[in-house]
Amino acid sequence: MSEPQRRPLAPDAAGSGCERGARALRGLYAVTPDETDTARLIALSEQVLAGKPALLQYRNKRADGALRRAQARALHSLCRRAGVPFIVNDDLALALEIDADGAHLGRDDGPPAAARAALGAHRILGLTCYADWSRASAGAEVGADYIAFGAMFPSVTKPNAPPAPFALITRARRELGLPVAAIGGITLANAAQVLAAGADLLAVVSDLFGADDPAARAAAYRALF
């Protein structure tokens, strides 16, 4: 296997556009719920951002194209003010249109190599790898910035996702040399298990956005690192 393509990391996330795209990827990876009420989504996201996650991803499977565009633009502005990189899920074209800091793509969202070329050197490319080692290793070869495995635990957000063994995280850290995100059913109660396996990022939806105090919950996750 050829050596994975690696890009220089920006020193921090304080800039804008490409300058903010890539940085050390470690910590809480906040992922938005399927919320069609934009005002509620913005209010929840503001609270989460107050807890300083490493990344915030816009994911909404219930929104149509116009709503997705409006919500993504609003969240992008929030993230810029908070200094948190903003990632768009499953929609490379939207990520490029709004100058997001990166895109997170699944197996049906186009070839990773084409996405890498379109995003350029300094935006973030993340790939959902489910429990598929071959997708993870191929993603590393084309220059993904991180890979994600899951579901790690039963998940209401991803009820049909195949279970992913912790050993995949450990192997990826050892063999691929790039950050690994764990997703699916992660809570404060079980987060230590995936961190012990070597996860760099904890992708959390329900346990974060559904908390009574999302800012405090985000801060509690951040303290794990």
Side-chain angles (χ1 to χ4, degrees), residues 22-123:
R23 67 172 189 170
L25 298 176
R26 181 169 172 79
L28 172 63
Y29 192 169
V31 181
T32 63
D34 294 330
E35 178 60 68
T36 56
D37 183 336
T38 300
R40 174 172 167 75
L41 178 63
I42 295 302
L44 288 171
S45 298
E46 285 181 322
Q47 294 178 63
V48 168
L49 288 168
K52 290 294 182 182
L55 302 167
L56 186 139
Q57 180 192 121
Y58 173 58
R59 178 184 186 276
N60 193 338
K61 300 296 187 180
R62 294 169 56 195
D64 62 22
L67 181 59
R68 281 174 57 81
R69 186 173 291 106
Q71 290 185 338
R73 288 187 183 280
L75 289 172
H76 191 196
S77 295
L78 286 183
C79 286
R80 289 208 173 197
R81 291 198 295 271
V84 173
F86 178 67
I87 309 298
V88 173
N89 176 266
D90 288 353
D91 196 333
L92 176 62
L94 179 58
L96 294 171
E97 177 185 334
I98 67 171
D99 193 25
D101 297 300
H104 180 92
L105 305 178
R107 64 165 60 97
D108 299 322
D109 300 321
R116 176 74 276 162
L119 288 166
H122 298 292
R123 288 186 178 87

Side-chain angles (χ1 to χ4, degrees), residues 128-215:
T128 294
C129 299
Y130 315 95
D132 184 349
W133 175 256
S134 64
R135 179 171 170 82
S137 59
E141 287 208 24
V142 301
D145 292 288
Y146 69 87
I147 54 174
F149 291 114
M152 306 310 304
F153 304 96
S155 168
V156 295
T157 303
K158 290 179 171 288
N160 299 317
F166 292 174
L168 279 174
I169 297 174
T170 306
R171 182 182 178 187
R173 284 295 308 277
R174 182 177 66 247
E175 297 184 21
L176 300 183
L178 74 168
V180 180
I183 190 168
I186 293 174
T187 68
L188 279 177
N190 61 32
Q193 298 177 55
V194 286
L195 290 177
D200 301 279
L201 293 160
L202 297 176
V204 185
V205 185
S206 301
D207 193 56
L208 180 58
F209 284 85
D212 291 336
D213 186 341

